[in-house]
Amino acid sequence: MQKLIADLKASNIGEIRTNERLAPYTTWKIGGPADCLIIPHSKEQVAASIKFLHERGVPWTVIGRGSNLLVGDKGIRGVVIKLGQALDTLRFEGAMVYAGGSYSFIKLSVLAAKEGLTGLEFASGIPGSVGGAVYMNAGAHGSDVSRILKQAEVILDTGELVVMQTEDLQYAYRHSILHTLPGIVTEAVFELQVGDRNEIAGAMAAYRDRRLRTQPLQLACAGSVFRNPEGGFAAKLIEEAGLKGKRVGGAEISMLHANFIVNTGEATAEDVLTLINEVQQIVEQMYGIKLVPEVLVMGER
């Protein structure tokens, strides 16, 4: 690893940090160290990093804004690539929106609304990056990324830069081909529609007010923990099972929203994983439904 780190530092592919604790890079504020963290400063450095690691057979993991992500307490072995300013770009060309992979999905929705463009209102409460939203087919309020995405620029794990059309991504509920085809979304192109600014603002205000009333946004969390089962809602099942407020260590099922697990201050990844497992077991015993987590779990326990 020391030889690899020395070679990385000599390769001009961004900032290199060793044994870097990952908790500060996640919205759950949980996670052990990465053996090596690369913070590229440009798209070219992102591609160069991937190519460098591919040529040497070194495993790597990518993180964006760290939402919807649980990093194990022992951290992540190998190399972690942290996307930041390198892909924090945005431009509008009429109703077409070009957003960098690390751009805030919420901020994107707000600025699109100011441009009088409709289609991204659902994103106003979805934390994380554009790249993460494309990867997960993020959605809310009856819409999702697949409905507005025109194409995505992706750096594959070989370092090759490709452009993938919406159909190439094989979208399903909270799923894309990128779950099995490793790569980094460097830019997404969204096709929106011109709308009424007042109507767009009204819809987003209503979504915002509902979030503030029903979600524990003042505490460290990762958004919804479980996917909604077909024809139902995970939060409803968890609440009806009497699990609101259930706690393991520093992890607690929110009293505001049963599909949120919050870090009350000192939660570990093991606390969260234990709580997830207990919720799954109880809900399955009571309703015969196995809840499926939609958070990404990375690293060692």
Side-chain angles (χ1 to χ4, degrees):
M1 179 57 74
Q2 294 304 316
K3 174 66 164 60
L4 173 68
I5 290 171
D7 289 345
L8 284 168
K9 289 181 176 179
S11 298
N12 189 32
I13 55 175
E15 184 178 351
I16 310 297
R17 300 181 184 179
T18 58
N19 199 35
E20 180 79 357
R21 186 166 169 264
L22 295 173
Y25 298 97
T26 74
T27 60
W28 241 327
K29 304 305 177 190
I30 293 172
D35 290 339
C36 178
L37 183 72
I38 302 176
I39 305 177
H41 299 307
S42 67
K43 184 190 297 187
E44 290 72 26
Q45 286 188 339
V46 174
S49 298
I50 300 300
K51 185 177 181 181
F52 178 99
L53 298 170
H54 174 72
E55 290 175 347
R56 289 159 179 79
V58 178
W60 56 270
T61 304
V62 61
I63 59 175
R65 292 179 173 265
S67 66
N68 205 45
L69 172 65
L70 181 64
V71 175
D73 296 314
K74 293 183 180 179
I76 298 177
R77 305 288 68 80
V79 175
V80 175
I81 301 172
K82 170 69 175 77
L83 302 180
Q85 293 183 347
L87 303 177
D88 194 23
T89 59
L90 178 68
R91 75 179 190 276
F92 292 92
E93 294 184 5
M96 305 299 290
V97 183
Y98 298 77
S102 63
Y103 202 84
S104 164
F105 203 38
I106 289 177
K107 185 177 179 181
L108 172 62
S109 71
V110 171
L111 295 181
K114 289 182 178 179
E115 293 286 327
L117 297 176
T118 183
L120 266 166
E121 291 90 332
F122 75 91
S124 62
I126 299 178
S129 65
V130 165
V134 171
Y135 173 90
M136 287 294 296
N137 190 22
H141 308 297
S143 190
D144 58 32
V145 166
S146 70
R147 303 189 184 203
I148 57 171
L149 185 74
K150 186 72 173 178
Q151 63 185 37
E153 182 184 79
V154 179
I155 298 176
L156 300 179
D157 61 352
T158 60
E160 179 187 3
L161 186 68
V162 299
V163 175
M164 303 183 73
Q165 306 302 314
T166 307
E167 55 270 23
D168 299 329
L169 289 161
Q170 298 179 19
Y171 275 132
Y173 178 66
R174 304 295 178 265
H175 180 83
S176 76
I177 195 174
L178 297 176
H179 287 224
T180 54
L181 179 69
I184 293 176
V185 177
T186 56
E187 185 178 71
V189 182
F190 299 102
E191 185 173 18
L192 306 181
Q193 303 293 325
V194 175
D196 182 280
R197 280 185 170 83
N198 291 331
E199 290 182 2
I200 297 169
M204 293 180 68
Y207 294 157
R208 181 185 64 248
D209 291 345
R210 182 166 180 250
R211 286 196 311 277
L212 293 174
R213 291 195 312 271
T214 62
Q215 297 180 7
L217 302 179
Q218 75 281 10
L219 296 173
C221 62
S224 295
V225 173
F226 298 100
R227 300 179 182 181
N228 287 324
E230 187 174 354
F233 296 94
K236 185 173 185 291
L237 293 171
I238 298 167
E239 182 171 356
E240 290 179 350
L243 296 175
K244 270 189 172 182
K246 182 175 177 58
R247 186 165 178 163
V248 174
E252 180 181 86
I253 297 175
S254 170
M255 292 298 295
L256 272 179
H257 195 303
N259 200 14
F260 279 58
I261 292 177
V262 299
N263 179 356
T264 61
E266 299 296 330
T268 65
E270 193 62 28
D271 292 340
V272 174
L273 290 168
T274 300
L275 192 51
I276 286 173
N277 184 59
E278 290 185 5
V279 169
Q280 287 176 306
Q281 289 182 359
I282 292 170
V283 169
E284 186 170 22
Q285 288 171 0
M286 293 182 67
Y287 304 107
I289 296 173
K290 182 67 174 287
L291 293 178
V292 178
E294 65 179 24
V295 295
L296 301 175
V297 180
M298 296 181 178
E300 298 181 348
R301 298 176 65 167

